[in-house]
Amino acid sequence: MRAIFSLIILTLLQITALAEGTISIPAGFEKHSVLLNAQYLEDKTGNMSFDDAHNSSQWVDTKKESVNFGFTSSIYWFRFTIQDKSGKSPDLYLEIDYPMLDYVDFYHPDETGAYQVKQTGDMLPFSSREINDRKMMFKITPYSEPVTCYIRIRTSSSINFSLTLMSVEAYIDKIKQELPVFWAYYGLMGVMLVFNLMVFLLTRNISYFYYVSFISSWILFQFTLNGFSFQHLWPNLPWWGNRSLPFFIALVTVNCGSMVRTFVQTKENYPIADKIALWVIIMPPAIWTAVSLIAPYKIGIKGATAIALVGSATMITIALVLVLRGSRGAKFFLFSWLFMLTGIIFYTLKTFGVLAPSFLTNWSIQIGSSATVILLSGALAENINVMRRQVLALNSDLKKNEAIAKERAVYLEQVVGTVRDMSDNMLTVSSDLSAISDRFSQMSGEQEKTSMRMYESFNGLKNEYERLRESIISQREEGKKTRELSSGLQKSQES
C-alpha cells in the first residue's frame, strides 16, 4: 500500500513539474527553444524501453537552449510538454539542428493518447525523414490538453544540438533567410573553384592544383557538415554519409599542408619546415582518410578532429616562423588564414553562449572561409605576377646576353677565319714538306745506289791491293833468294 502511495505521489510530482514547464502555443505563435522547458534522461546501459523512460524518476531539467554531452556511449532521452492555447491545433515543426545524429526516435501521442514513433537519423536513408530538409524535422500537432513528447537519441557522433519548435510560417521564413546565404556561399566557392581550375589548366602551376583540391574538399566538408550532402548527393548511402565527415576533415588537412609547401615553396627555400609540413601536417591525415572508412565513426571523427587541430597549429606556427624570416608568401598565407580562424573562433564562442547569436556569429565560418579563399586566390595571382616579372627580367637579361653573344660570335667567326687561313697555309706547307720528303726519299734511293757502287769499287780496289801486296812479298822473297844465290856464287868464285 505504501509503495502504491509513493508511486502515486511521484507521478503527481512529475505531472506538476511537466505542467510548470509546459510550452504554450498561443495564437500567432512563431517559435520557441524547446530545451528551456525540457528534461533529459541518460540511459547508460542502452536497454531502457519507452515505458521505462516514461515511468523513470531520473529526469533532469535542461534549462538551456542547447545541450552538449560530447561523445558518449549512453543513449539520451528528452521530453517536453506542449499545449495549444489558440484553439486551432496548428501544425508545428520540431527541428533538431545537428544533422549528424545516427538514430533519432520521436514519440508523439495521437488523438487517442497512444504514442506513435517516427524514426530517422543519418544511419537511415534520407527518405525516412518526414520533411525534406537538411536537418531532422518532425511534425507536431498540439491539442488543447497538455501532451508530452519524447525523443530518443543514439549516436556515435557528438550529442550537441538545440531543439526549436516553430510554426509553418516561421519555418518558411527561416528557409527564405538561410538558403540564399548558403547558395551564395557555395556559389562563390564554386566560382573560385572553376576559375582557379582554369588557371591551373592554363599555367600548369602545381600551387593552383593543390589550391583547387583544397577548395573542393572544403566545399564537400561544409556540404556534409551542413547536411546538404546527405540530402542531395548520397541520400541512399547512409554508411558513406556517416563516414564522409571525418574523411573530408582529413582530406582538407592534407590539402592545406600541400598548399603550404607549394605556396611558400618550403622544399626549395626552407627544407626543415618542408619536412615538418610533410610528416606532421600531410602524412597523418593522409593515412587517416583510409582509417576513417574502416574504423567506427567515434574513433574516425575524434582522430580526424585531433589531427586537424595539430595540423592547423603546426601550419600557423610554420607560417609565423617563416614570416619572421622574411618570407613574402608566408605573409600572404598567414593573413589569409586569419579570417578563417577568426570565423571558427566566433562560431565556437557563439555555440558556447559567450557571444550572442547574430548574422555575423551565425555565419562566421562561411564569411571567414570566403574571405580566406578570395585572399589566397589573390595571393596566388600575385605569385604569378611575380613570376611574370621575373620572366620579363630574364628576357631582358637574355636580350643583353644575346647582344654580347652576337659580338662574341663575330669575334669567334673572325678567329675561325684566321684559323682557317692558317690551316690552309699549314696544308700548303704540309704539301711542300711532303714534296721535299719525296725528293729526299728519291735522293736517299740514289745515294743508296751510289753507296753500293762505291762499296763494290772499294772491294775491287781492296782485292787488287791484296794481289799487289802478295806480288810484292813474292818479289821480295825472290830478290832475297837471288841475293843469297849471288852471294853464294861470289864466295865460290873467291875460293
Side-chain angles (χ1 to χ4, degrees):
M1 185 69 180
R2 182 176 298 175
I4 295 174
F5 180 75
S6 299
L7 182 60
I8 294 172
I9 294 298
L10 180 61
T11 303
L12 290 175
L13 288 174
Q14 291 180 358
I15 293 173
T16 302
L18 288 173
E20 291 177 355
T22 298
I23 301 172
S24 298
I25 310 300
F29 172 82
E30 292 186 357
K31 62 180 180 179
H32 180 77
S33 181
V34 173
L35 291 178
L36 292 173
N37 306 91
Q39 296 177 315
Y40 72 90
L41 174 65
E42 183 180 7
D43 177 12
K44 295 182 179 180
T45 64
N47 298 322
M48 187 177 292
S49 65
F50 173 74
D51 292 333
D52 295 335
H54 180 74
N55 296 322
S56 176
S57 60
Q58 304 299 317
W59 290 92
V60 180
D61 293 335
T62 54
K63 294 182 179 180
K64 51 187 177 181
E65 293 187 352
S66 63
V67 293
N68 186 359
F69 297 115
F71 293 94
T72 175
S73 58
S74 299
I75 294 175
Y76 277 86
W77 291 80
F78 298 86
R79 70 178 182 183
F80 59 93
T81 302
I82 59 174
Q83 182 179 10
D84 177 38
K85 295 290 188 178
S86 66
K88 298 179 181 179
S89 296
D91 288 334
L92 303 177
Y93 288 164
L94 178 67
E95 177 191 77
I96 302 176
D97 70 344
Y98 185 57
M100 304 304 296
L101 301 173
D102 291 347
Y103 299 98
V104 179
D105 301 337
F106 177 62
Y107 295 86
H108 178 262
D110 58 19
E111 295 179 352
T112 65
Y115 276 89
Q116 307 295 323
V117 61
K118 301 174 183 177
Q119 296 179 324
T120 189
D122 74 346
M123 287 301 291
L124 298 175
F126 191 83
S127 58
S128 66
R129 302 198 179 186
E130 187 176 15
I131 299 173
N132 184 9
D133 192 270
R134 64 188 182 90
K135 299 179 181 179
M136 297 177 193
M137 308 281 297
F138 300 97
K139 286 183 180 180
I140 299 180
T141 302
Y143 303 110
S144 58
E145 297 296 326
V147 293
T148 302
C149 302
Y150 292 81
I151 299 175
R152 179 180 182 271
I153 295 178
R154 175 167 66 93
T155 185
S156 56
S157 63
S158 174
I159 299 181
N160 176 19
F161 64 91
S162 61
L163 278 175
T164 304
L165 188 66
M166 63 186 77
S167 64
V168 175
E169 292 78 9
Y171 170 72
I172 294 174
D173 289 340
K174 178 175 176 292
I175 293 299
K176 288 180 179 180
Q177 293 175 7
E178 283 187 349
L179 287 184
V181 178
F182 272 122
W183 298 126
Y185 169 70
Y186 289 119
L188 171 64
M189 299 296 281
V191 168
M192 297 304 297
L193 172 64
V194 174
F195 171 76
N196 288 282
L197 177 61
M198 295 301 296
V199 175
F200 165 70
L201 294 175
L202 291 173
T203 63
R204 301 294 180 178
N205 189 309
I206 194 64
S207 298
Y208 277 94
F209 172 78
Y210 288 118
Y211 184 56
V212 168
S213 299
F214 163 71
I215 297 177
S216 302
S217 56
W218 179 263
I219 291 174
L220 289 170
F221 162 64
Q222 283 291 312
F223 218 58
T224 301
L225 183 63
N226 294 325
F228 289 114
S229 293
F230 193 42
Q231 181 182 9
H232 298 290
L233 300 181
W234 40 78
N236 297 316
L237 298 173
W239 178 88
W240 166 244
N242 190 257
R243 282 170 167 75
S244 59
L245 185 61
F247 177 85
F248 288 131
I249 291 175
L251 189 59
V252 167
T253 308
V254 170
N255 290 323
C256 285
S258 301
M259 192 167 57
V260 169
R261 294 181 70 206
T262 56
F263 192 90
V264 187
Q265 297 179 344
T266 55
K267 188 174 182 180
E268 295 80 4
N269 303 322
Y270 311 99
I272 296 177
D274 183 73
K275 291 180 179 179
I276 294 174
L278 178 62
W279 294 105
V280 178
I281 304 177
I282 297 177
M283 293 304 296
I287 296 172
W288 206 256
T289 54
V291 174
S292 64
L293 299 178
I294 57 179
Y297 176 83
K298 185 181 295 186
I299 296 176
I301 192 66
K302 285 183 176 180
T305 304
I307 288 173
L309 289 174
V310 172
S312 299
T314 305
M315 182 173 61
I316 296 301
T317 302
I318 290 175
L320 282 172
V321 172
L322 297 185
V323 166
L324 295 177
R325 295 184 64 177
S327 172
R328 179 182 175 87
K331 292 179 182 179
F332 279 113
F333 186 84
L334 183 61
F335 179 73
S336 302
W337 274 96
L338 285 177
F339 288 88
M340 176 85 78
L341 293 175
T342 302
I344 294 173
I345 292 172
F346 271 46
Y347 189 82
T348 303
L349 293 176
K350 189 269 296 186
T351 301
F352 287 99
V354 178
L355 296 178
S358 64
F359 181 85
L360 180 62
T361 56
N362 288 339
W363 302 98
S364 58
I365 292 180
Q366 284 76 16
I367 295 172
S369 59
S370 298
T372 296
V373 167
I374 294 172
L375 290 173
L376 284 176
S377 181
L380 284 175
E382 175 61 19
N383 281 350
I384 295 295
N385 289 331
V386 170
M387 293 173 62
R388 184 176 64 84
R389 288 193 290 268
Q390 292 175 347
V391 170
L392 291 175
L394 287 174
N395 288 335
S396 177
D397 293 339
L398 284 175
K399 290 181 179 179
K400 294 179 181 178
N401 293 334
E402 185 179 358
I404 296 173
K406 287 182 178 179
E407 293 177 359
R408 292 182 178 179
V410 172
Y411 172 74
L412 288 175
E413 187 175 355
Q414 294 174 351
V415 171
V416 169
T418 304
V419 171
R420 187 184 296 113
D421 294 339
M422 293 176 64
S423 177
D424 293 339
N425 294 333
M426 290 295 293
L427 289 174
T428 302
V429 171
S430 176
S431 179
D432 294 342
L433 289 174
S434 179
I436 294 171
S437 176
D438 293 340
R439 179 59 180 164
F440 271 109
S441 296
Q442 183 179 1
M443 292 174 67
S444 176
E446 293 175 354
Q447 184 179 10
E448 183 180 359
K449 293 177 181 179
T450 303
S451 297
M452 288 298 295
R453 287 195 297 270
M454 290 176 69
Y455 177 74
E456 291 174 355
S457 299
F458 176 78
N459 284 337
L461 290 174
K462 182 179 179 183
N463 291 333
E464 291 294 329
Y465 171 77
E466 289 294 331
R467 285 193 301 270
L468 180 61
R469 181 174 173 273
E470 290 176 356
S471 177
I472 292 170
I473 292 172
S474 178
Q475 288 177 2
R476 282 179 181 178
E477 288 179 354
E478 288 178 357
K480 183 177 180 183
K481 289 178 179 181
T482 300
R483 283 191 302 271
E484 288 178 355
L485 182 57
S486 293
S487 177
L489 289 175
Q490 183 178 9
K491 285 180 179 181
S492 295
Q493 290 175 358
E494 289 179 357
S495 46

